[in-house]
Amino acid sequence: GQSLEQPSEVTAVEGAIVQINCTYQTSGFYGLSWYQQHDGGAPTFLSYNALDGLEETGRFSSFLSRSDSYGYLLLQELQMKDSASYFCAVREAGKIIFGKGTRLHILP
Amino acid sequence: GEEVAQTPKHLVRGEGQKAKLYCAPIKGHSYVFWYQQVLKNEFKFLISFQNENVFDETGMPKERFSAKCLPNSPCSLEIQATKLEDSAVYFCASSPRSGTDTQYFGPGTRLTVL
């Protein structure tokens, strides 16, 4: 089976940088994904890492280290609209397994 | 369509009643996934389809839950004899192919069992 660990909550200040970590245990690994979910909304895809290293998409970056079974999501120039839950996820055969989510609180 | 559509948006059922939820994946996407999210917590995988075939059903409580994806029809998730603990938001997601982890989620159906 697979399991993912991520912090339940993180707090940061508007304009700052925040990193959300995710460690995983898998029986087979295809890649690590990140999703954002605002309150009352549906999850939206942010990024996917299949290989080691950093992937950058605008203010968001995602990193993967397969040897450490570890990845993180980096959010820069935080805006109030970034207040949401962030989920890491891995694929196992025909399903995606999600972490329990990290609630990001942003202070003005 | 260009978005995953789910109906109804809200569904209220008395305990023991049947509930049926629908999902129309993005046109051209071959894979459909169903998830249950209770109280904004983690997503519990229920079942996935590759076109009309079950791809992975390891998350389904089979005694009361069933699902179908038939050609030219929305996919459906049916819960027989609902229980209080079935109250949750049920999300459907579609994906163009199995080799990608990018899933496109619908807006969800909020099921409340009274």
Side-chain angles (χ1 to χ4, degrees), chain B:
Chain B
E2 294 299 317
E3 294 180 339
V4 177
Q6 288 189 250
T7 55
K9 194 169 183 178
H10 300 280
L11 189 59
V12 179
R13 287 290 179 265
E15 204 171 6
Q17 291 185 318
K18 183 173 72 175
K20 195 163 186 179
L21 293 62
Y22 296 92
C23 167
I26 293 173
K27 191 175 180 181
H29 283 196
S30 303
Y31 295 86
V32 171
F33 303 77
W34 284 99
Y35 298 91
Q36 178 194 58
Q37 187 182 35
V38 178
L39 295 175
K40 302 178 188 177
N41 288 329
E42 61 189 303
F43 296 90
K44 180 189 173 187
F45 168 81
L46 296 175
I47 190 169
S48 62
F49 288 85
Q50 179 183 9
N51 297 312
E52 64 267 25
N53 303 309
V54 174
F55 194 40
D56 187 321
E57 58 180 348
T58 52
M60 282 286 269
K62 291 185 183 176
E63 62 277 7
R64 296 186 299 109
F65 285 59
S66 62
K68 295 178 188 176
C69 275
L70 300 175
N72 302 314
S73 296
C75 297
S76 63
L77 176 69
E78 188 166 343
I79 309 172
Q80 302 284 344
T82 53
K83 297 182 177 181
L84 295 177
E85 60 260 34
D86 298 331
S87 294
V89 181
Y90 291 82
F91 286 101
C92 169
S94 71
S95 181
R97 57 191 183 277
S98 67
T100 176
D101 290 10
T102 304
Q103 299 204 320
Y104 299 85
F105 281 77
T109 292
R110 180 176 296 278
L111 172 65
T112 302
V113 181
L114 303 173

Side-chain angles (χ1 to χ4, degrees), chain A residues 50-66:
Chain A
L51 302 175
D52 290 352
L54 192 68
E55 295 280 344
E56 297 180 65
T57 308
R59 294 187 298 115
F60 292 4
S61 303
S62 57
F63 172 82
L64 176 66
S65 169
R66 288 175 297 171

